[in-house]
Amino acid sequence: MQKKNILIPFISLFSLISCPGAGGGGGGAAFALLGLGGGGDVPAPKLEVLYSGVVRESGATIDIGSEPVNTADGKTGTVTIRNVGTAPITLPGTPNIIEKSGTNASEFDITQPSSSTLAAGASVTFTITFKPTMPLGAKSAILKIQSSDPAVAAFQMNLTGTAEPATPRLAVSVGATQIAANGSYNIGSVEVDSIGGAVTFTVKNTGSATANMDSPAATSANARFALNLAGIPTTIAANASATFTIQFSPLATGSQSSNIAVNYDGAASFVFSVTGTGTPKPVPTIAISHNSSDFTSGGSIPTFGVVWPTLTSTTKTVTISNTGTATMTGISITKPSGDTSQFTVSAFSTGATLAAGASGTFTIQFNPSTAGTKNVVVRIATTNGNNGSASSSDLNVTGTGKSGTDVQVSWTATNEKAVNDTDGGYRVCYSQTNGFTPTHNPPSVICENQANAGGTTPSSRVITVTNFGTWYFKVYSYGKYNTTGGAPSTQVSVSVPST
């Protein structure tokens, strides 16, 4: 059997340290140091406290400012507690997370944080409200925050504030929105040449003395923002409220503003600004077209051409469009001048109104009663089609009543000499009556002479007929001594179209 050798690698995990024996002897002690793996930072919480966005160290003094004595709302500041560590932090204070003490502790109200445990990176806030009472002057208190931060187990914050004499102080709001002094409030958008809805502003006396309102109690620097001060009394008691309204009525588009001052006690004011935006007023805008050509400003539409009297032409369609943003009203289509009886205009398809973005049509037809050129003016008018103003556009319409159609009549020349002599010739008679004779009286039968003018009398003639339909023709020859003519030719007919 073959023998295999297996080599097992071995790594020494210890080293020897030789220490000299006492008195310089040779015997030393050997220690084995075994490596147990790498270390690292242990997760830990870390407390951070901010006031007005600034990090404060434990023991710092926060001056909350001055406040009149005995105000209902007091002066408020916000404190943020943040865990900037890598492990949750607890705030174990009891019964309150924030403990309050000090000389004037009762004049500093605390709204406790909503949570006593903060995950890494989390934060929570609480508020301080300074409501001083008599006597006047400096006030102080101490706040303590217990935490599981081993570095700052008890964070201390020193509070100061100043109690001032009772005085009125006004604040302005709209609903739940508080407007800061010298701040701004957007009143919204209103169409040009319109008056916006009244916006109600509440004036509250957050001070501790009655406010004596000036006359007027408020002013607006821009007349487009009109004030109604009927709700403002001559005085507003401490912690009482009153209201006034502002209406915005722009004359132009775009952003506009006004400074508003609420005036009291002869020299005091709460000043803020209001802004609003004037938006374009929806208006209708007329557009008139025919066969894709624009006739909004009026003009001459293509002629109807020639039409036989008593017939009616094909229709011409005119389109009216409202390219604006409001309903067009008062639409009328009339024939104020011209041969009004020779043209027919239909009613407008949408009636007297046309919605924004919509279109409608009407038609024009030519129905001449007599021959000759005819014309009419078709007027399209509205009460507001010119971007809100009245509009009027005239279409010039023409057509011609047909007077006749030429028919070339030819025949075989007769062998009689008389027709080629002086006072001889041919007589062409025609009628729309089949089988007519020359004895029929006009206008049912019409005869025209092709008289001899020397030489051979022509055997053709152009006849102008005055109506469409079937026409019948006969030719007679006549001479000097036979003026009534001989027997007629064979009757022939021709059909004259109506178009």
Side-chain angles (χ1 to χ4, degrees):
M1 174 183 254
Q2 187 178 3
K3 186 176 183 180
K4 294 183 180 180
N5 294 320
I6 299 174
L7 177 62
I8 299 176
F10 177 76
I11 298 175
S12 175
L13 298 179
F14 64 87
S15 59
L16 295 179
I17 300 176
S18 180
C19 297
F31 297 90
L33 302 179
L34 183 64
L36 298 177
D41 293 336
V42 177
K46 185 176 181 180
L47 181 72
E48 188 175 75
V49 178
L50 300 88
Y51 180 79
S52 297
V54 178
V55 175
R56 311 291 175 156
E57 299 296 332
S58 180
T61 297
I62 303 297
D63 184 5
I64 204 166
S66 59
E67 176 73 3
V69 295
N70 301 322
T71 59
D73 296 333
K75 187 171 186 179
T76 299
T78 300
V79 179
T80 300
I81 302 173
R82 188 161 58 189
N83 181 6
V84 296
T86 55
I89 193 170
T90 58
L91 308 173
T94 182
N96 294 317
I97 295 173
I98 311 300
E99 299 174 0
K100 181 177 63 170
S101 62
T103 306
N104 307 112
S106 63
E107 298 177 51
F108 293 85
D109 290 344
I110 306 299
T111 301
Q112 294 292 323
S114 59
S115 176
S116 61
T117 301
L118 300 178
S123 63
V124 71
T125 62
F126 68 93
T127 58
I128 306 167
T129 304
F130 180 39
K131 295 183 179 180
T133 58
M134 293 296 288
L136 305 179
K139 308 286 183 173
S140 64
I142 299 172
L143 300 184
K144 288 185 179 181
I145 307 171
Q146 303 292 330
S147 79
S148 60
D149 181 352
V152 190
F155 186 98
Q156 179 172 308
M157 179 183 294
N158 302 311
L159 301 181
T160 62
T162 303
E164 292 188 336
T167 184
R169 180 179 60 194
L170 299 186
V172 177
S173 61
V174 177
T177 302
Q178 197 70 37
I179 303 173
N182 299 310
S184 182
Y185 184 80
N186 189 341
I187 208 168
S189 298
V190 177
E191 292 174 6
V192 170
D193 297 327
S194 300
I195 300 175
V199 178
T200 299
F201 290 76
T202 299
V203 179
K204 182 178 181 181
N205 182 358
T206 61
S208 50
T210 297
N212 297 296
M213 305 307 295
D214 292 358
S215 182
T219 57
S220 171
N222 184 342
R224 305 327 309 166
F225 295 84
L227 306 182
N228 184 336
L229 305 177
I232 300 288
T234 56
T235 62
I236 301 178
N239 205 38
S241 299
T243 61
F244 68 95
T245 63
I246 300 179
Q247 285 182 287
F248 178 40
S249 55
L251 298 179
T253 59
S255 178
Q256 300 170 49
S257 64
S258 178
N259 286 331
I260 308 296
V262 182
N263 308 305
Y264 62 103
D265 282 7
S269 295
F270 183 95
V271 178
F272 66 102
S273 66
V274 289
T275 62
T277 301
T279 58
K281 184 177 182 178
V283 292
T285 303
I286 192 171
I288 303 170
S289 63
H290 168 65
N291 285 351
S292 300
S293 296
D294 181 40
F295 289 93
T296 303
S297 299
S300 298
I301 66 174
T303 180
F304 278 100
V306 179
V307 177
W308 284 106
T310 72
L311 293 185
T312 299
S313 71
T314 57
T315 60
K316 290 185 179 293
T317 300
V318 179
T319 300
I320 302 175
S321 301
N322 181 359
T323 61
T325 53
T327 299
M328 190 185 303
T329 60
I331 301 171
S332 65
I333 302 169
T334 59
K335 297 179 291 184
S337 62
D339 301 304
T340 57
S341 64
Q342 308 293 292
F343 296 86
T344 301
V345 177
S346 73
F348 185 51
S349 60
T350 70
T353 63
L354 185 61
S359 297
T361 61
F362 70 92
T363 59
I364 307 173
Q365 287 184 294
F366 177 41
N367 47 359
S369 59
T370 59
T373 300
K374 315 292 181 183
N375 62 78
V376 72
V377 173
V378 176
R379 178 166 295 164
I380 304 167
T382 71
T383 57
N384 61 353
N386 184 18
N387 296 320
S389 300
S391 68
S392 181
S393 302
D394 288 347
L395 302 181
N396 301 311
V397 186
T398 61
T400 301
K402 195 168 186 175
S403 58
T405 291
D406 292 339
V407 178
Q408 176 79 40
V409 182
S410 300
W411 58 88
T412 301
T414 181
N415 291 328
E416 297 179 9
K417 293 183 178 180
V419 298
N420 297 313
D421 292 340
T422 302
D423 297 327
Y426 298 100
R427 179 173 292 113
V428 180
C429 295
Y430 52 98
S431 174
Q432 286 194 290
T433 301
N434 188 10
F436 71 91
T437 63
T439 58
H440 293 148
N441 292 322
S444 61
V445 177
I446 304 168
C447 293
E448 297 182 14
N449 289 334
Q450 182 70 28
N452 178 263
T456 301
T457 302
S459 58
S460 66
R461 183 178 179 84
V462 175
I463 301 297
T464 300
V465 296
T466 58
N467 203 354
F468 62 93
T470 301
W471 286 87
Y472 302 94
F473 294 85
K474 293 179 181 180
V475 179
Y476 299 82
S477 60
Y478 66 92
K480 180 176 181 181
Y481 301 107
N482 183 14
T483 58
T484 60
S489 68
T490 301
Q491 176 180 280
V492 296
S493 66
V494 63
S495 180
V496 177
S498 61
T499 57

